[in-house]
């Protein structure tokens, strides 16, 4: 059954026939009041409050637009919604928008890709990107000079290696295939 305190509350409610929870406009019967009072004293003390506030928070609009973090030389814009440990969000949300007419299949700079994949905490600076672009340009120029020098010294263009069984080496002193011409039974 219930405790004597619950029975007293139940008798008072039957006599008054008023809503027990006026803010919810809910009329409580004897059975539901017993369940509510038993839950209020045990391990489920804040369960209904937690369920109610989780429901209310689910109806609130979420942040759709993030903080603009930067733009690269290709025209991609990068955004971030920071982590909020107070609500249980451990990692920030990061994404990018390509320029109009562009799609997500085109490559993005390595610095920004590292930032998007959480490999680095801070977005790359304009100076860092400019330095890396200058280094890449210098490497291309040096590679072109080395290739021209190699061709001038009589080097040939690289040959694509054969694929398949033709690429396996053959030797004159070793027979190829089955030396006794024995084929397995099929």
């Amino acid at each position: 059954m219930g405790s004597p305190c619950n029975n007293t509350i139940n008798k008072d409610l039957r006599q008054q026939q008023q809503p027990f929870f006026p803010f919810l406009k809910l009329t409580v019967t004897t059975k539901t009041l017993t369940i509510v009072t038993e839950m209020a004293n045990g391990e489920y003390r804040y369960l209904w409050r937690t369920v109610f506030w989780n429901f209310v928070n689910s109806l609130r609009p979420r942040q759709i637009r993030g903080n603009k973090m930067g733009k690269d030389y290709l025209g991609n814009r990068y955004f971030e919604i920071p982590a909020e440990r107070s609500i249980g969000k451990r990692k920030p949300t990061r994404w990018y928008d390509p320029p109009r007419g562009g799609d997500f299949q085109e490559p993005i700079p390595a610095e920004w890709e590292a930032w998007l994949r959480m490999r680095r905490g801070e977005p790359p600076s304009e100076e860092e990107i400019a330095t890396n672009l200058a280094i890449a340009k210098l490497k291309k120029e040096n590679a072109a000079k080395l290739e021209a020098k190699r061709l001038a010294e009589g080097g040939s263009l690289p040959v694509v290696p054969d694929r398949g069984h033709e690429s396996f080496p053959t030797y004159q002193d070793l027979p190829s295939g089955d030396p006794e011409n024995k084929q397995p039974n099929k």
Side-chain angles (χ1 to χ4, degrees):
M1 293 278 175
S3 66
C5 180
N6 287 345
N7 290 336
T8 307
I9 293 173
N10 291 339
K11 288 178 187 174
D12 291 340
L13 281 176
R14 277 188 240 131
Q15 291 171 358
Q16 294 176 1
Q17 289 298 320
Q18 293 178 0
F20 184 69
F21 299 110
F23 60 91
L24 291 177
K25 304 217 187 295
L26 175 69
T27 305
V28 177
T29 62
T30 306
K31 189 173 186 178
T32 57
L33 180 63
T34 305
I35 293 171
V36 168
T37 55
E38 286 176 4
M39 289 178 68
N41 295 328
E43 63 184 84
Y44 302 106
R45 181 175 206 158
Y46 301 110
L47 177 70
W48 293 111
R49 179 172 40 175
T50 303
V51 169
F52 175 74
W53 283 113
N54 284 343
F55 175 72
V56 168
N57 288 335
S58 72
L59 297 177
R60 291 183 182 163
R62 294 190 175 124
Q63 182 181 5
I64 295 172
R65 293 195 47 91
N67 304 328
K68 185 173 180 182
M69 301 306 288
K71 187 174 181 179
D72 64 10
Y73 59 90
L74 298 172
N76 297 322
R77 295 173 300 156
Y78 298 88
F79 300 93
E80 176 183 52
I81 298 176
E84 293 183 45
R85 298 200 186 276
S86 63
I87 62 170
K89 186 177 174 193
R90 298 182 341 178
K91 292 184 177 181
T93 303
R94 297 174 177 172
W95 73 94
Y96 75 99
D97 288 336
R100 290 193 184 267
D103 60 355
F104 291 99
Q105 300 301 321
E106 296 179 15
I108 60 174
E111 300 87 6
W112 281 108
E113 185 172 359
W115 179 78
L116 285 172
R117 294 178 183 261
M118 312 286 181
R119 292 186 198 130
R120 59 186 297 162
E122 298 298 319
S125 64
E126 296 292 329
E127 297 83 27
E128 179 184 359
I129 293 173
T131 303
N132 290 344
L133 278 174
I135 290 171
K137 184 178 177 184
L138 182 64
K139 286 182 179 181
K140 284 182 183 178
E141 290 172 0
N142 288 342
K145 289 177 186 176
L146 285 174
E147 185 69 16
K149 181 180 175 185
R150 186 182 66 78
L151 291 175
E153 291 175 354
S156 62
L157 292 174
V159 179
V160 177
D162 293 333
R163 303 235 177 222
H165 67 280
E166 293 90 17
S167 64
F168 194 78
T170 57
Y171 302 100
Q172 297 294 334
D173 56 339
L174 296 176
S176 63
D178 189 15
E180 298 177 9
N181 293 329
K182 293 182 181 177
Q183 302 251 340
N185 294 336
K186 292 186 180 182

